[in-house]
Amino acid sequence: MEFGWWTKDSEGKKWQICVRFHGGNVVFSRHHGHHTSWEDFEPDDELWDRLLLEAERRLPRRLMSQKEFDRLKARRPA
């Protein structure tokens, strides 16, 4: 399953965020501009909150099961 959105950092640089969730693994990647390569990175709490919000939006439309959502929440570091 893949999630994506755009965000800006503290310097005002716009980043495209892509999160891949498969088999219990969660990988956050980002890039800015069309001709730059994707880089994996460690997300902060704000990005985890956004990911869980995006996942919650998929629950009512049955694009994600409750079991998958619970597994995703369990992957968030304490």
Side-chain angles (χ1 to χ4, degrees):
M1 186 166 294
E2 196 169 286
F3 300 88
W5 64 87
W6 288 87
T7 188
K8 285 187 178 181
D9 62 7
S10 59
E11 299 168 0
K13 187 183 281 190
K14 193 171 180 182
W15 291 92
Q16 184 177 4
I17 307 294
C18 178
V19 182
R20 294 179 308 280
F21 175 60
H22 181 72
N25 297 321
V26 181
V27 178
F28 282 79
S29 301
R30 68 181 177 186
H31 84 116
H32 65 90
H34 295 287
H35 304 292
T36 59
S37 59
W38 288 91
E39 61 183 48
D40 294 345
F41 71 102
E42 289 297 318
D44 58 3
D45 287 337
E46 182 180 325
L47 290 175
W48 270 105
D49 291 340
R50 176 71 188 263
L51 173 61
L52 294 177
L53 178 69
E54 294 290 330
E56 280 181 33
R57 289 182 187 164
R58 293 184 183 196
L59 286 174
R61 299 181 297 175
R62 298 179 190 254
L63 299 174
M64 182 178 213
S65 69
Q66 185 65 45
K67 185 178 178 181
E68 288 174 316
F69 181 71
D70 293 339
R71 251 190 276 157
L72 180 63
K73 281 187 359 183
R75 297 295 301 164
R76 183 177 184 167

